Amino acid sequence: MTTVTDEELLRQLTDPDDNDVAQLDAWWRAANYLTIGQIYLRANPLLRRALTAEDIKPRLLGHWGTSPGLSLIYAHVSRLVRMTGQQAIYLAGPGHGGPALVAAGWLEGTYSEIYPRVSQDEAGMLRLFRQFSAPGGIPSHVSVTTPGSIHEGGELGYVLVHAYGAVMDNPDLLAVAVVGDGEAETAPLEGSWKGLSFINAARDGAVLPILHLNGAKISGPTVLARKERAEVHGLLHGHGYDVIEVEGEDLPGMHQRFAAALADAWSRIREVQREARAGESDGSRPRWPLIILRSPKGWTGPSEVDGIRMTGTWRSHQVPLSGVRENPEHLAILERWLRSYRPEELFDDAGTPVAAIRDLAPRGDLRMSASPHANGGLLTRDLDLPDFRDYGVDVDAPGRLRAESTRKLGELMRDIYRGNPDRFRLFCPDETNSNRLGAVFEATDRAFMERVTPDDVAIGPDGRVMEVLSEHNCHGWLEGYNLTGRHGMFATYEAFAMVSASQTIQHGKWLQEASHLPWRAKVPSLNVLLTSTAWRNDHNGFSHQGPGLIQTVLTQRGDVARVYLPPDANCLLSVADHCFRSRSYVNLIVIDKQPQLQYLTMGQAIDHCAKGAGVWEWAGTDDGTSDPDIVLACAGDVVTMETVAAAQILKERLPGMKVRVVNVVDLMSLVRHRDHPHGMSETYFTELFTDTVDVVFSFHGYPGAIHQLVHGRPDADRFRVRGFIEQGTTTTPFDMTVRNRASRYHLVMDAINNSKRLPRGATALKKWCEAQLARHEEYVVEHLEDMPEVRDWSLGDQPRHD
């Protein structure tokens, strides 16, 4: 492969002279010194006198073992950026290396610009040390408070998916992703090496994975570090990477070897991109470079403590010297360790990094700690959205017409693709067509850089629909895409959203903490669409029946969490438009893909979604002049149909009962306004549910969620909730509602049992419902489908909409 055009530049990158090496080493020593200071010191930051026990923090927290390797990589990438102008961000998979990345931001000056009290002098250095892993300070991970970070790493496994998502449609960006060898054992990371199969060098940026093998995790060896080198090389080569290896602990040799490896990797990346962008590539997937860095865990730390080996073992993972306040010998070791970096050469009399260290950093936004790509809200452009009203379903009367609601969303997203060719993507685990979103393929193909055959449909290197059979990849790619300023949606089967639920939680936590940092610009929201839901996964059975992600998102704070349960297509379109326009939320939308009854005109849907909940007058018998006898409430598409059907039965067979039907589309509207910004006012809650009438609430998810949401509302005990109670199998659609006691017949009986006033005929109606359930049980076994009056039910006699 030919080199980059500027051969002299490449030669300088590859073969640093003595001055370059000295500068790299000084920066690295300074970062190591600051890392140790953050873990240990609360006073005497520059060692202007001998250390005493009083200089040591009472609680020693943090992780030393991975930090020297992270700092070495950072120093060299900074040099590369300064010399080439390459836009780059740094993602630290070993998130426990937080003090190393905080130190890097301080040395580059970014940290002091954002947090002026942590100034680049002795006083600021002391604050840097005291705040680390301390009350009122910062976490020990590479957290949201760390400038330049889009990846916390506290929960291991996501560094590569975030990196690959960050470079999609981001052609000038290099994402340096450091994979810890402990992290490499996690399932998400093991599944994320395949990201290179979806990166098109002509329009995407590049990821440079650096597998940092330091031999150990928290209490023992790591698998890849103990494997034969040829096996590790073969594993990564088999994934499609061009592997470059660097190993050692000798200095300055390691600086020289790593500089050469990094220059080699960068030149290969540039050549791949040049060929692709000049139209000289044959269209096949290139071999992207990957670096394996082997260095000792806890490198440059104490080699032994109390006669026990530390450096190069799992014992250096966290705090190699844990008893320094009580043990004078350990205190002396710590002082020798700190002084081994020669801080007097690294910081001037004021405590400011010396010029050689400051000059290693690039200028302005090219500093990795200051990159706008790591504060993606600065780069975010609003989507050019078509008018969602143009995609609506014409609803002449409620509950008559059936349509696949998500198919209309697919048509909307098709045109979002067309209007936003560089900042919108759908991420879906091999289910785009299954989820009725296939209209997007009219605008673009699936992305794929591997071999394509004549039998393949809508797939190729120019595609921008991201399909891979991995929830972790899809979710993580979208996170990286969002955090660097672009928009999208993650769509998956409802039950399998729990595979990546922990990612949803972690992303929500990131957004929650970012909201408290004025310098963090708001990013496009994480939009999650769940289809193939518990109530209509009758053919797949119990394994596919689980609405747990709703419960997961409900536990997140109100400034981030949003849950929408649109009952029909027009409500879905209105909700989706809102979500695509929103910033820094986790938006969860739950609606099934199967044909379903449509209820509201577009105008009614917009008004309904804006309120979050409302009375459906046409569904009940409540005239609004006084409180009803019972309130039938619902949230979710299938349970809404069952509720409307139950109200119809009561209207026909028990006309003397006053029934109010309330539909909830924004689940968070049930919460008190003091607890969530979407919570409806006390007055509106009373308008819908009264303060005293019993409410039979039919809910898409687990019943406990509704009890949690209405806590603190007037007489919350009057809410009787029906929902998914872990009763399922391969069965008919209606039988799923029967098994979970949420069918229309169960709801009618609940209404009778909880009504404060029972008109004549209630007892007979209960018996009729029981007979219908018995008939259903016999019918489905004999006919293998639901009873016609259920299967084909609609509100055929309802008045037309005005």
Side-chain angles (χ1 to χ4, degrees):
M1 183 178 291
T2 59
T3 61
V4 291
T5 54
D6 192 344
E7 295 183 0
E8 176 58 24
L9 173 61
L10 183 58
R11 187 200 64 75
Q12 293 174 7
L13 287 169
T14 303
D15 187 19
D17 61 23
D18 291 345
N19 289 333
D20 282 339
V21 171
Q23 185 180 44
L24 284 163
D25 193 65
W27 195 99
W28 183 52
R29 285 186 285 124
N32 288 337
Y33 180 87
L34 295 172
T35 296
I36 301 159
Q38 289 176 79
I39 294 172
Y40 283 97
L41 298 184
R42 67 173 184 179
N44 195 13
L46 286 168
L47 302 184
R48 298 193 188 276
R49 54 174 172 76
L51 273 184
T52 68
E54 291 304 309
D55 296 330
I56 308 302
K57 293 179 178 180
R59 298 171 68 240
L60 300 180
L61 302 170
H63 293 73
W64 162 247
T66 188
S67 294
L70 291 176
S71 295
L72 179 90
I73 296 166
Y74 199 104
H76 282 264
V77 177
S78 289
R79 173 176 175 263
L80 173 78
V81 171
R82 177 173 54 81
M83 294 178 68
T84 64
Q86 173 68 60
Q87 297 181 46
I89 57 173
Y90 188 104
L91 295 90
H96 292 302
L101 273 294
V102 170
W106 190 81
L107 290 173
E108 289 187 326
T110 313
Y111 208 93
S112 300
E113 293 165 10
I114 292 173
Y115 306 109
R117 282 176 52 82
V118 190
S119 48
Q120 271 195 312
D121 54 24
E122 184 173 6
M125 187 187 297
L126 181 58
R127 290 193 180 96
L128 187 80
F129 291 176
R130 289 179 64 90
Q131 72 177 10
F132 178 76
S133 237
I138 63 172
S140 66
H141 297 156
V142 187
S143 71
V144 65
T145 61
T146 307
S149 173
I150 66 166
H151 172 86
E152 176 153 352
E155 179 176 299
L156 301 178
Y158 308 128
V159 67
L160 278 181
V161 291
H162 288 160
Y164 278 113
V167 303
M168 292 173 184
D169 297 323
N170 210 347
D172 298 326
L173 183 64
L174 172 66
V176 178
V178 184
V179 180
D181 49 358
E183 178 182 32
E185 296 179 3
T186 66
L189 198 287
E190 284 278 18
S192 63
W193 295 111
K194 66 177 70 69
L196 83 173
S197 297
F198 299 86
I199 295 299
N200 184 332
R203 52 103 194 278
D204 299 327
V207 174
L208 175 60
I210 300 178
L211 176 59
H212 182 207
L213 295 180
N214 59 30
K217 45 188 182 281
I218 193 167
S219 62
T222 58
V223 173
L224 290 183
R226 293 291 176 89
K227 278 186 175 294
E228 293 296 327
R229 295 165 194 272
E231 290 184 339
V232 179
H233 189 285
L235 172 69
L236 299 170
H237 184 81
H239 278 300
Y241 293 97
D242 204 351
V243 180
I244 305 166
E245 298 200 48
V246 181
E247 180 179 7
E249 56 182 305
D250 59 303
L251 297 168
M254 279 293 280
H255 286 302
Q256 293 163 336
R257 292 194 295 277
F258 193 79
L262 185 60
D264 186 15
W266 180 75
S267 70
R268 297 187 200 189
I269 288 169
R270 288 295 297 267
E271 183 61 15
V272 165
Q273 293 176 334
R274 188 198 65 77
E275 289 181 354
R277 295 169 190 181
E280 298 173 5
S281 170
D282 62 5
S284 63
R285 175 187 53 76
R287 280 199 167 273
W288 294 97
L290 174 151
I291 296 174
I292 299 176
L293 170 63
R294 297 178 186 268
S295 65
K297 195 172 190 74
W299 187 15
T300 72
S303 58
E304 287 188 359
V305 176
D306 297 332
I308 300 173
R309 186 181 168 208
M310 287 286 167
T311 301
T313 77
W314 55 269
R315 296 181 182 89
S316 65
H317 181 81
Q318 292 176 297
V319 182
L321 295 160
S322 57
V324 287
R325 283 172 64 92
E326 301 80 22
N327 188 323
E329 184 178 341
H330 286 194
L331 183 64
I333 295 172
L334 173 60
E335 183 165 357
R336 289 196 298 272
W337 179 16
L338 283 164
R339 292 191 185 280
S340 72
Y341 299 108
R342 306 191 297 281
E344 66 279 3
E345 299 176 5
L346 309 175
F347 309 100
D348 64 19
D349 291 342
T352 301
V354 298
I357 290 174
R358 297 197 308 272
D359 291 345
L360 179 74
R363 297 290 177 260
D365 288 351
L366 283 178
R367 294 171 295 174
M368 289 187 287
S369 58
S371 172
H373 295 285
N375 192 5
L378 298 174
L379 302 175
T380 298
R381 291 181 293 153
D382 290 340
L383 286 172
D384 181 6
L385 290 172
D387 190 338
F388 68 93
R389 298 168 183 83
D390 295 340
Y391 304 83
V393 173
D394 290 330
V395 179
D396 293 331
R400 292 183 181 180
L401 173 69
R402 277 186 166 81
E404 295 169 324
S405 298
T406 55
R407 195 173 295 280
K408 306 305 292 184
L409 176 61
E411 294 170 6
L412 174 67
M413 288 198 292
R414 171 198 62 203
D415 294 337
I416 295 176
Y417 263 111
R418 288 171 174 166
N420 305 271
D422 60 348
R423 60 188 185 276
F424 178 81
R425 293 201 186 199
L426 170 65
F427 301 80
C428 187
D430 192 33
E431 296 152 357
T432 303
N433 278 324
S434 174
N435 289 327
R436 312 299 194 264
L437 302 173
V440 295
F441 295 128
E442 298 171 26
T444 185
D445 292 341
R446 300 171 180 86
F448 201 55
M449 291 301 299
E450 300 291 351
R451 184 170 50 87
V452 175
T453 73
D455 295 323
D456 293 326
V457 176
I459 188 167
D462 295 326
R464 293 177 56 249
V465 175
M466 308 310 296
E467 277 196 353
V468 62
L469 197 52
S470 164
E471 286 77 14
H472 288 126
N473 275 272
C474 290
H475 197 300
W477 288 346
L478 177 56
E479 288 175 4
Y481 201 67
N482 286 157
L483 289 168
T484 48
R486 280 75 51 72
H487 310 255
M489 175 172 280
F490 167 47
T492 189
Y493 286 10
E494 183 180 47
F496 300 146
M498 295 307 292
V499 172
S500 54
S502 185
Q503 290 178 273
T504 311
I505 293 170
Q506 294 298 323
H507 189 76
K509 289 178 182 292
W510 178 279
L511 295 177
Q512 288 168 14
E513 291 307 297
S515 69
H516 303 308
L517 300 171
W519 60 273
R520 283 277 183 190
K522 289 185 177 296
V523 296
S525 295
L526 179 76
N527 300 312
V528 181
L529 173 70
L530 303 186
T531 66
S532 299
T533 64
W535 299 99
R536 283 295 181 265
N537 242 306
D538 37 277
H539 67 293
N540 281 314
F542 196 37
S543 65
H544 285 51
Q545 294 160 351
L549 193 66
I550 293 176
Q551 207 84 9
T552 296
V553 174
L554 287 181
T555 63
Q556 298 191 304
R557 292 205 300 251
D559 52 355
V560 166
R562 304 287 185 269
V563 181
Y564 300 99
L565 293 149
D568 63 5
N570 289 337
C571 288
L572 173 60
L573 290 167
S574 178
V575 164
D577 179 80
H578 170 76
C579 292
F580 287 139
R581 295 178 189 275
S582 69
R583 295 287 183 274
S584 291
Y585 296 147
V586 174
N587 291 317
L588 179 61
I589 307 171
V590 186
I591 188 169
D592 195 61
K593 64 185 182 181
Q594 301 293 348
Q596 52 192 199
L597 291 173
Q598 305 294 308
Y599 303 103
L600 304 183
T601 66
M602 181 56 78
Q604 291 169 336
I606 293 170
D607 180 64
H608 184 50
C609 293
K611 293 178 179 177
V615 176
W616 283 2
E617 292 87 353
W618 49 265
T621 55
D622 172 32
D623 59 11
T625 59
S626 60
D627 284 349
D629 298 319
I630 195 74
V631 175
L632 296 183
C634 49
D637 48 9
V638 168
V639 294
T640 291
M641 180 178 68
E642 292 304 303
T643 298
V644 172
Q648 182 73 0
I649 291 170
L650 289 168
K651 183 185 295 187
E652 293 174 352
R653 294 178 175 270
L654 209 60
M657 179 181 281
K658 293 177 63 178
V659 178
R660 178 179 298 173
V661 176
V662 175
N663 179 262
V664 178
V665 62
D666 180 352
L667 202 57
M668 297 309 194
S669 68
L670 295 173
V671 184
R672 296 178 301 181
H673 186 68
R674 74 184 76 167
D675 299 323
H676 195 285
H678 281 203
M680 66 181 76
S681 68
E682 288 81 357
T683 303
Y684 191 54
F685 190 90
T686 297
E687 283 185 35
L688 298 186
F689 299 105
T690 80
D691 287 342
T692 58
V693 174
D694 279 19
V695 179
V696 176
F697 203 119
S698 188
F699 177 51
H700 177 93
Y702 295 111
I706 299 300
H707 293 296
Q708 171 187 337
L709 292 167
V710 301
H711 175 75
R713 292 295 191 177
D715 191 14
D717 287 344
R718 63 197 167 97
F719 281 76
R720 311 285 192 270
V721 186
R722 294 290 185 179
F724 186 77
I725 54 174
E726 290 294 333
Q727 297 298 317
T729 184
T730 301
T731 188
T732 65
F734 183 66
D735 192 52
M736 275 296 296
T737 67
V738 173
R739 287 172 177 269
N740 288 278
R741 303 177 191 172
S743 75
R744 60 197 66 183
Y745 303 124
H746 288 94
L747 297 179
V748 168
M749 291 188 289
D750 279 349
I752 293 171
N753 290 338
N754 291 283
S755 174
K756 295 294 190 288
R757 185 184 64 86
L758 284 179
R760 183 178 301 172
T763 301
L765 180 54
K766 280 185 66 176
K767 289 182 178 179
W768 178 82
C769 288
E770 291 167 351
Q772 286 293 94
L773 290 170
R775 178 169 168 258
H776 155 78
E777 186 175 356
E778 294 178 358
Y779 190 94
V780 293
V781 172
E782 180 178 354
H783 297 277
L784 310 182
E785 61 180 350
D786 288 320
M787 300 181 297
E789 62 264 41
V790 171
R791 187 177 68 245
D792 303 326
W793 180 84
S794 68
L795 280 174
D797 60 349
Q798 280 301 110
R800 300 174 71 85
H801 286 304
D802 294 334

